Every structure is written in structure tokens, then in C-alpha cells.
Amino acid sequence: MSDCILFAKRNDMAKKKEKEMEADFSAEERLKEAAIKVFTQKGYAATRTRDIAKEAGLNLALLNYYFRSKEKLFEIIMMEKLQQLFEIIIPLANDPSTSLDKKLTAIASEYIDMLSVNENLPLFILHEIRSNPERFVSKMQVTKIFSDSVMIKQIRERRSDINPIHFVINILGMVVFPFIAKPILFSSGQVDDKAFGVLINERKKLIPLWVKAILKAK
Amino acid sequence: MSDCILFAKRNDMAKKKEKEMEADFSAEERLKEAAIKVFTQKGYAATRTRDIAKEAGLNLALLNYYFRSKEKLFEIIMMEKLQQLFEIIIPLANDPSTSLDKKLTAIASEYIDMLSVNENLPLFILHEIRSNPERFVSKMQVTKIFSDSVMIKQIRERRSDINPIHFVINILGMVVFPFIAKPILFSSGQVDDKAFGVLINERKKLIPLWVKAILKAK
DNA sequence: GTCTATAAGGGGATAGAC
DNA sequence: GTCTATCCCCTTATAGAC
């Protein structure tokens, strides 16, 4: 019984703390953060603006007051998230002063760190782009990774006999795929959140090693 | 002018051929095929039952007549597609009579062939599972790949110092990731449908080579 | 079995009070 | 700026004719 009271009190305090933390952000910021959470989790089509408002602890009218429409709010978030994905790799892949090996280490490490705190990002982006390719294609500076990047040139120097895109696909796949396949890994029962954390941390060191190995493979 | 007539005639015949082929299938089958196409392309939430009926060249009421609801139709398709994904890899991964190298060759080849004619499948499955993990987890026999498969044992024999799940992730990632990332590859302008076909065909031979290389990498 | 027409409900957006 | 109440369209599902 006293346990119950203590527990209730602790819960109250946690709630209060939460409220206070929320209060540090404006309604606009809270709606945007809520929208990021819900959109990236469920995708555009499956999210209801009511869910976003509820997640933010605010009401639906505010969403339209600040962002005009679900569509416009989505567009803002999508652009930000595309930016977030590309701003990591483009400068790293185009740095002429680093070796290919250094690039691999940097990309694996920085991408995995970013995705660890944005686990839903890859699947969200990939799903939304496919639902509406023409809409976002122009916004993506993919050329800067896949065709005329310094990294592509460095890969070509090592393996002129294989299309360098193969290796870019492999690097990105090794980094991104675990996050995309997470629900499947978990369903095996062999992986939980802790084990997943260990795995992706190991991959920071393993991926550069692996990529060097496949660059040599005959 | 005569070209136009010929062209029109050819189109008419193509149309007729199409109609005849459609007629070979019952309304139920046509609706299901249409549903597979639309669901896997746009995802559950974004597809409207009207789109499915239209795609099948039939009307909305028929869909409910045969399948009761959008939900039930989706469930049927989802189960079939999960089956389709797992039935390829599970027997291959659990064949005690083949070497690990043979398994890699078989998995890469058969998966790539299947995904080539079901390009939307991976992203569809992954997106829907994440939107509703608890719903499908029990239906997936993932354990048979990730923990107690023959392949896992064979991997462990070669590299006892690294969690074998890493290698399964890498194999599947190398096979599946190009299909998931297709819209991004295309947006680079470097890859079109023909080039994509060439790439994934090359990967059938390259992936086993690469996996052998990373198994040795120190 | 297949169709048209319509009911029922959900969800995005706004009006108007405070 | 923030809220409640409400509008109205769009979508799923069904009734009922053929």
C-alpha cells in the first residue's frame, strides 16, 4: 500500500518534470518534434494530424495555425531529414585530403552514430521517396556521392574493373541495413535493444575492414 | 498515315490480347493481383480500395464481396509475401549437404532473381512490419535463419570471434539493399532500368566473392 | 456474380470564443 | 496564441437492382 503511494508520487513527479521540459519549447517546436516522431514512425499516409497534436500535448487547430496543413508540415520535415542524411556523407566523400580508408572509417562511424538516435530515418525516407519519387529527387544531391565524388575516384583507382557504384551500395548497405531490418532482427528473439546496440557498435570498426576486404576480393 | 493505322491496329490487338489474358483470370484473382501491385507499391495506409478495383478493371463492391474488407485482403497478401520471402532462404540456409560457399551462391542468385520480378517487395514488407511489428512477428520464422540454421553454424566454424549475425546481415543487405535504394540510385541520373539490371546481375557473382572476403578479413 | 447508388464514419481543415 | 465545436470531403463498406 505504501508502495503504491510512493509509486504514485514518483509518477506525479515524473509527469511534472516532463511538463516542465515541454514548457521549455514553444508550441511550434513541440508540434514539429511530435510530427517528426509520428511521421518517421508511421509514414505520411498512416499518420493522422490528431496523433501529432496529441503527441505534442496540444490540439489539432494549432497544427494548422503554425503549419497551414499536414502536407506543408510534412514537406518541412522531409526536407530537413533529407538534408540531415546527406550533410554527413557529402563532405566526407568529397574531402580530397583524406584517403579512402579514412573516408570509410569516418562514414561508418558518423552514420552509425546519427542513425542510432534516428533509427526510423532510413526506412521513413526510403518509403516516402518511393511513394513520390519525382517530388524529392530534385532535392537530393545524390550525384555528389554516386558519380562525381572524390570517393568514387579513389574507389576507381583501386578497382578499375568493377563499377564503383557497387562499393558505394555495399558501404551504405552495411551501415544502413541493420536499422532497416531491425524489426526482423528483433523478431528472431536473438536480438534485443541492448544486443542491437552492441552489434552496431561493433560494426563501426568492422565495416571499414570489410570494405577494404571486398575492394581486394578476386 | 499508314504508319498511324498500323500502329493503331497493333495497339488494338495488344489491348485485345490484354483483355483476353485478363479474362483468363477470375474477378477474385484479378482483384488479388491488383491488390498486390497497389499495396506493395504504396503501402497499406496510402492505398485506397478504389485504386485496387480500378487497377483490376472492376468495381469496388466486388472487392468487399470476395475479401470482406481492405484489412482482410491485406492480411492475405502480407502472409503470402512473407511466405515468398522466407521460403527461398530457409531451405537453402538449412541444407546440411551444401558448403557455406554453395549456400552463398545459391542465396544471392535465387534472391536476386525473385526480387527482380518483385522489386517493391522488400521495402513493402519492411515498412509494414515496422508499422505493426507485433502483428507479423509471430508469422515470421526468422529464428530459422538467424539463430539455429545450418548456415549460422558454418559461419561460426569459420569465424568464431565475430557474431555470425553480422554476416547474415551483410549477405542479406548486399542482396536486398539495391532494391530498397533503387529510387535513390535512379535519382543520381547514373542508373536507369537497363543499368540497374546489369548491376544486380553482376552482383549475383560478386556477392559470394565479397562475403568470402569479409569472412577472412582481419 | 457484378453493378450503381448510398450509408456511415474518419480525418483534415476552419470558425469563432477566449 | 490557444482552445472547442463543427464543417465537409474522402474512403470504406453495404444495400439492392440486374
Side-chain angles (χ1 to χ4, degrees):
Chain A
M1 183 62 182
S2 65
D3 274 12
C4 273
I5 291 169
L6 278 172
F7 185 68
K9 198 175 171 187
R10 215 169 54 81
N11 255 4
D12 275 359
M13 286 174 69
K15 281 257 176 61
K16 206 185 158 204
K17 186 90 182 274
E18 214 172 272
K19 275 281 171 198
E20 275 167 10
M21 285 177 68
E22 278 177 6
D24 287 352
F25 298 94
S26 69
E28 186 174 357
E29 282 168 329
R30 280 164 62 194
L31 281 166
K32 201 169 137 189
E33 285 310 308
I36 289 172
K37 184 171 174 187
V38 182
F39 275 140
T40 56
Q41 208 158 73
K42 313 216 281 186
Y44 178 79
T47 87
R48 291 163 303 172
T49 51
R50 283 170 166 77
D51 296 340
I52 295 173
K54 198 177 173 186
E55 176 72 35
L58 297 168
N59 71 82
L60 177 55
L62 271 274
L63 189 150
N64 293 88
Y65 175 74
Y66 283 112
F67 302 99
R68 294 292 296 171
S69 70
K70 177 187 179 185
E71 184 89 15
K72 288 213 167 49
L73 175 52
F74 173 74
E75 195 111 0
I76 290 170
I77 289 169
M78 190 71 182
M79 289 306 143
E80 259 188 44
K81 292 298 164 185
L82 279 176
Q83 178 67 20
Q84 191 178 350
L85 275 178
F86 286 119
E87 75 189 357
I88 287 183
I89 196 170
I90 290 180
L92 291 178
N94 283 295
D95 186 340
S97 72
T98 58
S99 67
L100 181 54
D101 291 0
K102 288 258 183 259
K103 283 185 177 60
L104 298 175
T105 310
I107 288 172
S109 175
E110 300 214 8
Y111 247 112
I112 285 177
D113 284 342
M114 190 271 280
L115 294 180
S116 299
V117 290
N118 296 276
E119 294 196 342
N120 290 319
L121 210 48
L123 199 43
F124 166 69
I125 296 283
L126 262 359
H127 174 77
E128 300 301 339
I129 286 178
R130 201 206 25 188
S131 311
N132 224 325
E134 56 295 345
R135 185 173 175 187
F136 301 110
V137 156
S138 57
K139 312 288 182 178
M140 298 185 301
Q141 306 171 305
V142 179
T143 318
K144 292 181 181 165
I145 308 167
F146 283 97
S147 55
D148 41 49
S149 72
V150 174
M151 189 168 73
I152 287 278
K153 288 195 189 78
Q154 291 173 323
I155 292 171
R156 207 179 270 120
E157 280 165 21
R158 290 227 204 151
R159 287 303 292 257
S160 57
D161 58 329
I162 295 178
N163 188 334
I165 288 183
H166 277 304
F167 296 105
V168 179
I169 291 173
N170 291 340
I171 296 163
L172 295 181
M174 285 177 177
V175 171
V176 172
F177 193 72
F179 293 94
I180 292 175
K182 200 183 168 192
I184 294 189
L185 289 173
F186 273 52
S187 78
S188 75
Q190 296 296 108
V191 182
D192 57 14
D193 268 302
K194 197 183 158 193
F196 186 77
V198 173
L199 278 177
I200 58 161
N201 235 304
E202 290 171 349
R203 293 180 79 83
K204 282 192 211 172
K205 280 173 191 161
L206 288 169
I207 290 172
L209 247 146
W210 290 333
V211 176
K212 278 181 239 172
I214 66 174
L215 275 165
K216 286 188 206 131
K218 292 278 184 187
Chain B
M1 183 59 180
S2 65
D3 275 8
C4 274
I5 291 169
L6 280 172
F7 185 67
K9 200 176 174 190
R10 212 169 56 82
N11 255 4
D12 275 358
M13 288 174 69
K15 278 261 175 58
K16 205 184 160 208
K17 186 90 181 274
E18 214 170 274
K19 275 282 171 199
E20 276 168 10
M21 286 177 66
E22 277 178 8
D24 287 350
F25 297 95
S26 69
E28 185 174 356
E29 284 167 325
R30 281 164 62 194
L31 280 166
K32 201 169 135 188
E33 285 310 307
I36 290 171
K37 184 170 174 187
V38 182
F39 274 141
T40 55
Q41 209 158 71
K42 312 212 283 187
Y44 178 79
T47 85
R48 290 162 303 170
T49 50
R50 280 171 165 76
D51 297 340
I52 295 174
K54 198 177 175 187
E55 176 72 33
L58 297 168
N59 73 82
L60 177 53
L62 269 282
L63 188 150
N64 293 89
Y65 175 75
Y66 284 111
F67 302 99
R68 294 293 297 169
S69 69
K70 176 187 178 183
E71 184 87 14
K72 289 212 168 44
L73 175 53
F74 173 74
E75 195 111 357
I76 291 169
I77 289 170
M78 190 70 182
M79 288 306 142
E80 260 189 41
K81 292 297 164 187
L82 278 176
Q83 178 67 19
Q84 192 178 350
L85 275 178
F86 286 119
E87 75 188 356
I88 288 184
I89 196 170
I90 289 180
L92 292 177
N94 282 298
D95 186 339
S97 73
T98 57
S99 66
L100 181 54
D101 290 1
K102 288 258 184 260
K103 284 186 177 60
L104 298 175
T105 310
I107 289 173
S109 176
E110 300 212 11
Y111 247 112
I112 285 176
D113 283 344
M114 190 271 279
L115 294 180
S116 299
V117 290
N118 296 276
E119 293 195 343
N120 290 318
L121 210 49
L123 199 42
F124 166 69
I125 296 283
L126 262 358
H127 175 75
E128 299 302 339
I129 286 179
R130 202 205 24 187
S131 310
N132 225 327
E134 57 294 347
R135 185 173 176 186
F136 301 109
V137 157
S138 57
K139 313 285 182 182
M140 299 186 300
Q141 305 172 304
V142 179
T143 318
K144 292 180 180 166
I145 309 167
F146 282 98
S147 54
D148 40 50
S149 72
V150 173
M151 188 168 73
I152 287 277
K153 287 194 191 75
Q154 291 173 321
I155 292 171
R156 207 179 269 120
E157 281 166 20
R158 289 227 204 152
R159 286 305 292 259
S160 58
D161 58 329
I162 295 179
N163 188 335
I165 289 183
H166 278 303
F167 296 105
V168 179
I169 292 173
N170 291 341
I171 297 163
L172 295 180
M174 283 177 178
V175 171
V176 172
F177 192 72
F179 294 93
I180 293 175
K182 201 182 167 194
I184 294 190
L185 288 172
F186 274 52
S187 78
S188 75
Q190 296 296 109
V191 182
D192 55 15
D193 269 301
K194 197 183 160 196
F196 186 77
V198 172
L199 277 177
I200 60 161
N201 235 305
E202 290 171 349
R203 292 181 79 83
K204 283 192 211 172
K205 282 175 190 158
L206 288 169
I207 289 171
L209 248 146
W210 289 334
V211 177
K212 281 181 238 172
I214 66 173
L215 275 165
K216 287 188 204 128
K218 296 276 185 188

